[in-house]
Amino acid sequence: MSQRSKNHHYVPQVLQRRFAVSKQEIWHSRRGEDGLFEAPKLRLIDKTFKLRNYYTVEVDGVSSDVVERRFYGPIDDYLGKVLPEVFESFDRGVVPTFSGRALTSLQRVVLEMTKRTPDFVAAYVDETKGREFVEELLADTSGELLDEDRVVLQKELGNAARLREYGRQIRVTATVRESDDVHEALVPFQARWVMSRGTHSYILTSRMAMRIGNGGHNGLANPDAEIWMPVSPKVCLVLVRDAGRKIPLRVDDSTANIRQFNEYAASVSREIASHSPELLESLTGKKRIEPSLVRETS
């Protein structure tokens, strides 16, 4: 347990590399305490889109990285295998297609990408959730709570760190819990590819995969709902209902739509990144900090 992973990436490094300047660096901006994006900086990808102990849970009373290793690890491995195959197909002039079990796997991975980020359930709610949990236990009058346990819980109401641990356990457990209803709702969705053929590029954000309602709510029950997940500056995977097979496997996106998507993605995300500092400057309204002046390593 002493060797457990403590720094957890919610945007996999394998995906970051598709948007990076090099294998190790990416232009990046995050929101400050004022809610505004900071000036873009060139950062190491192993230092971006991560939080300490974000997926840590307790197993038999001991802090464990089991969720990071056994749940998100296989998802990251999947992306590390599938993304190169996707781009190899495009390089050969073949549009990648998914069906059967391959499509089901893709659907479920994209779904998990929508949930794994702090933009889905913010980490700062952990203490609040933990406090609610402890208060509910203390409010139980059934007599099942032992007096000595009640004393411990009363003390823990004043222990912010312990409340965060309780809340984190609740958040992580709820996030990774599978739902048959949700999986069933994903069945009609097909994989399509939206491409940028011009100079405009998609950004990478901490939200990664975004549900878009097209005028309605963004829940999967909305027949017009789509899930957009950029997988490179020029390629965006879209899950969409297309029972009549009317939507081409590949669609060229317009400059205006890419800009609209980027603006929306930035507006609902706490962090954004790109290979292009100019793109981040245009979205943040801040001039980049040149690497010669500041090199961010943490």
Side-chain angles (χ1 to χ4, degrees):
M1 287 297 181
S2 61
Q3 299 301 313
R4 69 181 175 86
S5 169
K6 297 178 182 178
N7 291 314
H8 301 160
H9 283 86
Y10 40 85
V11 177
Q13 294 184 66
V14 66
L15 183 59
Q16 289 191 56
R17 291 191 182 98
R18 292 287 168 180
F19 294 80
V21 176
S22 66
K23 289 185 177 180
Q24 295 184 328
E25 295 180 313
I26 192 169
W27 284 99
H28 175 272
S29 177
R30 57 192 168 205
R31 293 188 187 276
E33 293 183 359
D34 58 2
L36 302 176
F37 281 110
E38 300 172 345
K41 297 177 184 178
L42 192 61
R43 293 189 168 106
L44 298 173
I45 64 173
D46 66 348
K47 304 296 183 182
T48 55
F49 297 108
K50 70 178 180 64
L51 283 173
R52 189 170 178 82
N53 287 316
Y54 188 59
Y55 304 124
T56 296
V57 293
E58 286 194 6
V59 177
D60 297 329
V62 179
S63 294
S64 171
D65 63 355
V66 62
V67 172
E68 170 75 356
R69 288 184 293 106
R70 297 188 182 180
F71 189 82
Y72 290 116
I75 289 175
D76 295 353
D77 290 343
Y78 171 91
L79 292 171
K81 177 178 181 293
V82 169
L83 289 181
E85 294 176 353
V86 164
F87 289 102
E88 287 171 9
S89 292
F90 279 124
D91 289 342
R92 297 195 312 269
V94 177
V95 180
T97 59
F98 290 81
S99 61
R101 294 178 63 182
L103 177 59
T104 298
S105 295
L106 181 69
Q107 292 167 338
R108 294 189 177 187
V109 165
V110 171
L111 175 67
E112 294 305 329
M113 299 295 271
T114 70
K115 298 192 299 176
R116 70 185 289 180
T117 166
D119 292 338
F120 181 74
V121 179
Y124 61 76
V125 306
D126 286 355
E127 185 175 339
T128 300
K129 290 292 185 183
R131 181 175 298 278
E132 291 174 353
F133 171 71
V134 172
E135 289 176 344
E136 286 178 6
L137 290 177
L138 290 171
D140 184 8
T141 59
S142 66
E144 294 183 5
L145 186 64
L146 299 178
D147 289 343
E148 54 265 37
D149 292 333
R150 187 176 295 276
V151 171
V152 171
L153 289 173
Q154 287 284 6
K155 290 182 178 180
E156 289 185 338
L157 279 176
N159 186 335
R162 187 58 178 156
L163 293 177
R164 284 194 294 271
E165 290 176 2
Y166 282 133
R168 185 174 63 215
Q169 190 90 5
I170 295 168
R171 168 178 54 80
V172 174
T173 301
T175 301
V176 302
R177 181 181 296 121
E178 294 192 356
S179 167
D180 291 339
D181 290 340
V182 173
H183 290 164
E184 186 68 23
L186 282 171
V187 170
F189 285 82
Q190 302 293 315
R192 299 292 182 263
W193 304 97
V194 181
M195 318 283 289
S196 171
R197 294 299 187 184
T199 58
H200 279 58
S201 299
Y202 300 102
I203 59 168
L204 177 67
T205 79
S206 50
R207 195 169 285 266
M208 285 179 294
M210 280 155 285
R211 295 189 296 190
I212 296 174
N214 289 309
H217 64 82
N218 66 0
L220 299 180
N222 175 6
D224 296 321
E226 301 172 355
I227 304 178
W228 285 56
M229 178 176 159
V231 294
S232 85
K234 300 298 181 183
V235 182
C236 185
L237 167 65
V238 179
L239 294 184
V240 59
R241 289 181 178 87
D242 184 23
R245 302 282 180 174
K246 296 179 181 179
I247 302 174
L249 290 176
R250 191 198 74 198
V251 178
D252 289 343
D253 211 351
S254 69
T255 296
N257 193 63
I258 294 172
R259 180 64 187 184
Q260 183 180 22
F261 174 84
N262 285 341
E263 290 177 345
Y264 170 74
S267 73
V268 297
S269 301
R270 56 188 280 163
E271 297 172 73
I272 58 177
S274 174
H275 69 293
S276 168
E278 293 83 5
L279 176 54
L280 292 194
E281 286 177 339
S282 73
L283 291 168
T284 64
K286 305 283 182 63
K287 295 293 292 183
R288 79 192 85 168
I289 298 178
E290 294 292 349
S292 59
L293 299 178
V294 175
R295 175 69 69 175
E296 178 86 4
T297 59
S298 61

